[in-house]
Structure formats: structure tokens, C-alpha cells
């Protein structure tokens, strides 16, 4: 006869809610095991003389809940092979927040053990009744031990189970505070539906872990909310808003735009975001980053309307690329420093090309540089790519000599008064200077941006001094302006 484990649910804690079928199985079973005897139904066992063994000792002996659940499942399978059949009773419903049952479902077939699961009233039944909400309005059940900010959706009723103690409640509170206001109303339910033990308390979120009474039968309920403050923090709301703007009932201007008509906006918003970065302006960053994201959303929405892709496809592609190109984080590789991590990145980029049927050996080493990049940035990237295959000097000396050489050729071109030649030699000089920046580990775009800011600050000082003296630029000369410039250089 095949060994059998019968799993039954003991319900939420009220004996009146125990199903007749489960009660019969409890009475008939030759061997009874319970996950924990810290449950109100254990009084019924004792009252009717039903012998049982619990696994509470494992909770005390092992370091984590996963270890406990693993050990319980292994022991139940061993006992069933030894005894032939047994009954295993768990709180609530066996298929709701019961990891040991999931482990048994995975392992029993391989062990040759039959598994029968009989339902019982879940703590959710009492939550719906005692807290008074209908799950069809939108509902999710989350585990306190696995809670993440990304899982919180205020538009849904949310029940968080397995809140065993104040420490768990504190972790839940900190996680929720990343998404919800500190004073957001939350409801704590203890032993719902159990006569004499039930307690329901509503508190602001910041007081969640300051409320005593957490135990095995505790949960937290977040009522669904349509508060725009919360909805407007979600990506889904942004997608919805952009879709409305582009719809027939939306904004006339937004509806008319195409990829080409707002192409320049993308560039402008990117530069404004860079300006906020350079100014170390958090408020400006917050606003300008949003404007950049809006450009991505608008272009993605245009493609969604034609059925080519959606912004969720964009996100999926990005996530998969990040996972693939960081094997030292998400895979089996390792990287001891940033240089090694960059090497991994480049190797995975090459692997991506191979998987797309592109032969890296057949492609130019200079491919992959956007043609619209600013010239200074493009020169830097061209040189870096060429250097990777050995087209580079070994030290900076020849680089500086090249700058001197190009400067001399520029002087000769200026003397010749040939404008075309002058522009060409100036480009050569700039290109050689970019190479020097690369050798000293400086980004030329950033270096020049820093100098631009420095120039603007010092020139503003000259303007300020002239303004103080009641004069304009046509009332001064280069000598005086140079004196002010030298003063500005000494300022912090």
C-alpha cells in the first residue's frame, strides 16, 4: 500500500468553523502531527483526547523559518514511509501561506508518497468578514518576511500575513514607509474570529510596531485607496496619463507629435538634466529626470499605438540586458574591481552580438558610437575603442609631443590664411588634446564643462564689479577686466 500523507486545515482558530470532513479525519487518523500546537484548536484536541506530536521543537532548534519548513517536510516524508500513513494538521487553510505543504507537493511524488490535501477555513475568510471588505474590489496577500516596496499597490486591499512579532512588524513598517506616507492608516488584526481573543486596532503607519500583541494569528490590513498622492507615485499611473494625453480625448498638442517633431525635446531635456547634475541641485534633478522619462514615455506610447512595442517591452529589454551584462552580480562570474567589471560588460556585449547573428570579427572596431554625439565626446570614444586593439601610445610623452606638433601646424595654417586648412588643423589639435585627457583619466567633456563653469563664474565677477562701479563694458578696457579676472581667480 502506498504511503500517504493527509494534510488538513485547522481553520482560523474557532472550533465552530472546523469542517465536518476535517473533524472526521482528525478522529480517524492513526498518527497525527501538527506544525505547531500554538493554535486555539489544540484545546479541542485535548478535550477529545486526540493524541498528536508537534514540530515546535524545530522552531527552537533551527535558525530560520525556511530551515524549519524544510526539516518538517523531510521528517513527514520519512515518517510516512515508516508508518504507511499519517495526518498532518496546519493552521488555517493548507494552501494559504503554508510553505510546508508546498514543499510536500514538490517532494512527495519523487519519494513515492501520496499526498491528499483537505481544505479548512483560512484566516482570509475571517479577514474578509471581520475587517469588512470584498476582495473582488482588488486584493493581494503578501508575506511579511518577503515584503518589498515594489509589491505595494495602494489601489488594492492588501493583507500582510505572518506578522509574528514586533520585530517583524518593524520590518513591515520600514518597508511600507518607502511607498506610503508615515501617517497612512493601517489596521492590525489579532486572532480574527476567535472568541475572547480577537482584537482589531487601527493606527497610523509610524505606530505599527509600537502596538503590543503580535503573534502567530496576527495580520496587517491596508485598505485600498484612490488617493491621487499615492497613485501618482506609480509607474502605471504615468503610463496611463501619457496614454490619455495621446488619446482622441487628450491634449491637441500631444496628439499631433511624432518621433521627429519632438526629437529635439529629448536632446534639450537631457541637457537640462545634465545641468542640474552639474549644479548638484537635487530639486532640479528630480524635475529634470522626470522630463527625460517623459520623453521616453511619449516615444514608447507612439510605438504602442502602432502595435510595435510598449514601454513595458522597453523595461523588459533593459532588465534583461542588465542581468545578462552583469554576470559578476547575477551569474557565476566574479569581478574584483571596476576594471574587471567593465571587461565582463564588454565580453557580454560581444556575446549579445554573436547571439543576434552578428560576427564581431566582421564589424568595425569603431562601430557602436552614436553619430549624433557631441564631437568632443565622440573623439574620446573613438580613441578608447582604437586603444583596445593596441592602436595607442604606451605613455603620455608622445601624446604631448603630438599636441605640440598639431599646434605648430595650426600656426602655419593661420599664417597661410587658408580658412579650410585652419579649421582642419584646429580639429587635429582638439583631437590630440582629447587623447591627452584620456591618458590622464579625465573625461574631456566633463573637463571642458568644468572650465566653462569656471569661466562663467569669473566673467560674472567682472560684470558685478563693473555694476558696482556704475559702469558698462564700453567704459572699461582689457587691462582693468584682466585685473578683475585675476581677483576672481583668488576667490573660493
Amino acid at each position: 500500500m502506498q504511503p500517504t500523507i493527509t494534510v488538513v486545515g485547522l481553520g482560523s482558530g474557532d472550533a465552530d468553523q472546523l469542517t465536518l470532513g476535517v473533524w472526521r479525519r482528525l478522529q480517524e487518523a492513526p498518527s497525527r502531527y501538527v506544525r505547531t500546537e500554538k493554535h486555539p484548536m489544540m484545546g479541542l484536541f485535548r478535550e477529545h483526547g486526540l493524541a498528536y506530536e508537534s514540530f515546535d521543537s524545530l522552531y527552537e532548534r533551527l535558525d530560520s523559518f525556511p530551515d524549519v519548513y524544510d526539516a518538517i517536510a523531510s521528517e513527514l516524508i520519512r515518517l510516512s514511509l515508516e508508518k504507511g500513513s499519517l495526518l498532518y494538521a496546519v493552521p488555517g487553510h493548507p494552501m494559504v501561506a503554508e510553505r510546508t505543504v508546498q514543499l510536500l507537493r514538490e517532494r512527495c511524488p519523487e519519494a513515492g508518497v501520496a499526498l491528499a490535501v483537505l481544505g479548512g477555513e483560512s484566516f482570509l475568510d475571517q479577514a474578509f468578514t471581520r475587517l469588512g471588505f470584498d476582495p473582488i474590489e482588488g486584493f493581494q496577500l503578501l508575506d511579511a518576511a518577503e515584503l518589498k516596496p515594489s509589491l505595494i499597490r495602494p489601489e488594492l486591499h492588501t493583507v500582510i500575513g505572518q506578522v509574528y512579532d514586533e520585530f517583524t512588524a518593524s520590518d513591515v513598517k520600514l518597508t511600507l514607509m518607502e511607498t506610503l506616507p508615515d501617517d497612512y492608516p493601517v489596521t492590525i488584526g489579532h486572532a480574527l474570529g476567535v472568541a475572547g481573543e480577537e482584537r482589531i486596532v487601527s493606527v497610523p503607519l509610524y505606530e505599527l510596531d509600537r502596538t503590543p500583541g503580535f503573534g502567530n494569528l496576527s495580520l496587517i490590513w491596508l485598505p485600498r485607496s484612490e488617493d491621487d498622492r499615492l497613485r501618482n507615485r506609480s509607474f502605471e499611473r504615468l503610463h496611463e496619463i501619457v496614454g490619455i494625453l495621446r488619446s482622441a480625448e487628450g491634449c491637441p498638442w500631444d496628439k499631433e507629435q511624432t518621433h521627429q517633431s519632438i526629437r529635439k525635446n529629448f536632446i534639450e531635456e537631457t541637457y537640462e538634466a545634465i545641468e542640474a547634475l552639474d549644479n548638484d541641485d537635487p530639486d532640479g534633478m528630480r524635475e529634470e529626470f522626470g522630463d527625460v522619462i517623459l520623453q521616453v514615455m511619449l516615444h514608447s506610447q507612439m510605438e504602442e499605438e502602432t502595435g510595435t512595442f510598449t514601454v513595458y517591452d522597453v523595461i523588459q529589454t533593459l532588465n534583461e540586458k542588465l542581468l545578462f551584462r552583469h554576470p559578476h552580480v547575477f551569474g557565476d562570474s566574479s569581478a574584483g574591481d571596476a576594471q574587471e567589471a567593465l571587461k565582463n560588460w564588454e565580453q557580454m556585449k560581444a556575446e549579445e552580438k554573436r547571439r543576434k547573428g552578428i560576427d564581431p570579427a566582421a564589424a568595425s572596431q569603431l562601430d557602436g558610437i552614436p553619430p549624433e554625439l557631441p564631437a568632443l565626446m565622440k573623439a574620446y570614444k573613438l580613441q578608447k575603442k582604437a586603444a583596445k586593439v593596441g592602436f595607442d601610445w604606451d605613455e603620455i610623452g608622445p601624446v604631448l609631443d603630438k599636441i605640440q606638433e598639431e599646434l605648430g601646424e595650426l600656426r602655419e595654417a593661420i599664417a597661410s590664411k587658408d580658412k579650410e586648412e585652419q579649421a582642419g588643423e584646429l580639429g587635429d589639435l582638439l583631437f590630440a588634446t582629447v587623447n591627452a585627457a584620456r591618458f590622464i583619466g579625465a573625461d574631456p567633456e566633463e573637463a571642458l564643462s568644468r572650465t566653462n563653469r569656471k569661466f562663467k563664474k569669473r566673467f560674472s565677477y567682472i560684470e558685478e564689479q563693473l555694476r558696482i562701479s556704475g559702469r558698462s563694458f564700453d567704459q572699461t578696457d582689457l587691462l582693468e577686466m584682466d585685473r578683475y579676472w585675476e581677483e576672481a581667480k583668488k576667490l573660493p
Side-chain angles (χ1 to χ4, degrees):
M1 184 174 178
Q2 186 180 19
T4 302
I5 297 174
T6 300
V7 184
V8 300
L10 296 176
S12 57
D14 188 336
D16 290 341
Q17 305 298 332
L18 193 67
T19 68
L20 182 59
V22 168
W23 177 237
R24 285 175 176 165
R25 292 297 185 98
L26 285 170
Q27 291 178 308
E28 296 168 357
S31 300
R32 305 176 191 88
Y33 294 86
V34 297
R35 178 164 62 76
T36 176
E37 62 178 355
K38 296 175 182 177
H39 188 270
M41 286 300 296
M42 290 302 99
L44 189 66
F45 275 58
R46 291 186 286 271
E47 181 182 333
H48 289 269
L50 301 180
Y52 64 88
E53 293 183 40
S54 84
F55 292 105
D56 285 315
S57 61
L58 294 176
Y59 286 90
E60 300 167 5
R61 185 153 39 94
L62 299 176
D63 294 333
S64 68
F65 287 128
D67 290 341
V68 170
Y69 302 148
D70 182 79
I72 290 174
S74 296
E75 181 64 4
L76 284 169
I77 290 174
R78 186 191 70 78
L79 289 167
S80 69
L81 293 171
E82 177 185 303
K83 295 174 178 287
S85 65
L86 60 83
L87 181 140
Y88 174 51
V90 299
H93 190 291
M95 296 302 294
V96 178
E98 189 54 61
R99 179 60 182 159
T100 58
V101 176
Q102 295 301 325
L103 290 172
L104 288 173
R105 286 170 59 85
E106 294 170 9
R107 299 178 184 178
C108 280
E110 185 177 345
V113 175
L115 181 68
V117 179
L118 277 71
E121 183 181 77
S122 160
F123 69 92
L124 291 177
D125 295 274
Q126 288 299 325
F128 300 148
T129 303
R130 304 302 298 158
L131 300 176
F133 69 92
D134 187 341
I136 203 170
E137 296 173 348
F139 165 74
Q140 63 176 349
L141 172 64
L142 302 176
D143 183 349
E146 303 292 334
L147 195 63
K148 301 174 185 176
S150 60
L151 298 175
I152 305 304
R153 299 181 59 187
E155 73 274 17
L156 302 178
H157 290 289
T158 301
V159 170
I160 302 171
Q162 319 257 40
V163 191
Y164 297 118
D165 50 36
E166 283 80 4
F167 297 107
T168 306
S170 178
D171 289 341
V172 169
K173 179 183 80 170
L174 294 175
T175 301
L176 293 178
M177 279 182 169
E178 294 189 38
T179 303
L180 305 173
D182 292 357
D183 59 352
Y184 192 80
V186 298
T187 298
I188 307 167
H190 301 294
L192 295 180
V194 181
E197 296 186 35
E198 176 182 282
R199 271 197 321 121
I200 299 175
V201 184
S202 292
V203 297
L205 177 56
Y206 65 84
E207 289 188 0
L208 181 60
D209 56 345
R210 304 174 193 171
T211 307
F214 286 100
N216 291 342
L217 302 180
S218 298
L219 58 79
I220 295 168
W221 172 46
L222 308 177
R224 70 188 297 267
S225 172
E226 295 183 358
D227 188 335
D228 282 341
R229 292 179 307 163
L230 303 179
R231 291 189 70 212
N232 290 344
R233 289 181 66 86
S234 72
F235 180 81
E236 288 73 19
R237 178 59 173 156
L238 174 60
H239 182 233
E240 177 187 349
I241 289 172
V242 173
I244 292 172
L245 289 175
R246 292 273 304 172
S247 71
E249 297 77 27
C251 170
W253 185 89
D254 286 287
K255 287 188 292 185
E256 290 180 359
Q257 301 314 305
T258 65
H259 288 308
Q260 289 304 313
S261 72
I262 60 171
R263 176 181 176 278
K264 64 181 184 303
N265 299 45
F266 212 149
I267 298 171
E268 290 171 5
E269 298 297 356
T270 302
Y271 276 113
E272 287 176 11
I274 291 172
E275 181 182 14
L277 284 171
D278 290 342
N279 293 336
D280 193 21
D281 176 8
D283 290 337
M285 290 182 211
R286 181 175 58 190
E287 180 176 351
E288 299 302 340
F289 292 170
D291 290 343
V292 172
I293 292 173
L294 174 59
Q295 298 306 308
V296 175
M297 297 299 296
L298 285 169
H299 287 285
S300 298
Q301 181 64 32
M302 292 174 192
E303 292 302 312
E304 182 173 340
E305 290 161 7
T306 63
T308 51
F309 65 82
T310 73
V311 71
Y312 293 100
D313 297 317
V314 173
I315 293 170
Q316 179 183 353
T317 301
L318 174 60
N319 285 339
E320 290 174 353
K321 180 190 296 183
L322 291 174
L323 292 169
F324 185 78
R325 293 189 183 179
H326 290 85
H328 48 285
V329 178
F330 303 106
D332 299 329
S333 301
S334 61
D337 54 31
Q339 197 63 36
E340 201 170 341
L342 186 59
K343 182 180 178 182
N344 283 343
W345 175 274
E346 294 296 340
Q347 288 175 342
M348 300 315 287
K349 280 178 66 176
E351 177 61 23
E352 281 178 349
K353 289 182 179 179
R354 279 190 287 271
R355 293 188 179 188
K356 292 177 181 177
I358 302 171
D359 182 3
S364 169
Q365 295 295 330
L366 302 182
D367 284 349
I369 299 176
E372 298 299 327
L373 274 183
L376 202 63
M377 192 180 297
K378 184 185 289 187
Y380 183 64
K381 287 186 174 292
L382 286 169
Q383 292 173 8
K384 281 184 69 176
K385 281 181 172 286
K388 286 179 182 177
V389 294
F391 190 73
D392 199 10
W393 280 294
D394 295 327
E395 54 186 27
I396 196 170
V399 177
L400 299 178
D401 292 340
K402 187 66 176 176
I403 292 175
Q404 289 294 335
E405 177 188 327
E406 297 297 351
L407 179 59
E409 292 178 4
L410 176 60
R411 292 181 189 278
E412 293 174 6
I414 292 172
S416 73
K417 302 188 184 307
D418 185 331
K419 293 297 183 182
E420 188 68 27
E421 185 180 354
Q422 291 171 8
E425 295 300 342
L426 177 61
D428 291 345
L429 176 60
L430 291 173
F431 195 83
T433 305
V434 168
N435 209 14
R438 186 175 59 82
F439 258 85
I440 65 174
D443 186 302
E445 193 79 25
E446 293 178 6
L448 186 56
S449 294
R450 191 182 304 123
T451 298
N452 288 342
R453 291 194 296 273
K454 184 165 56 179
F455 179 88
K456 184 178 179 181
K457 180 180 178 181
R458 291 174 183 175
F459 192 82
S460 296
Y461 179 81
I462 297 173
E463 290 179 312
E464 182 182 6
Q465 297 309 307
L466 290 175
R467 196 161 42 245
I468 291 172
S469 63
R471 290 178 299 147
S472 60
F473 280 104
D474 57 4
Q475 295 172 310
T476 185
D477 56 28
L478 182 59
L479 188 63
E480 183 180 31
M481 286 190 286
D482 189 57
R483 179 166 56 82
Y484 288 143
W485 179 270
E486 291 300 323
E487 290 178 10
K489 288 173 63 175
K490 297 175 183 177
L491 296 175

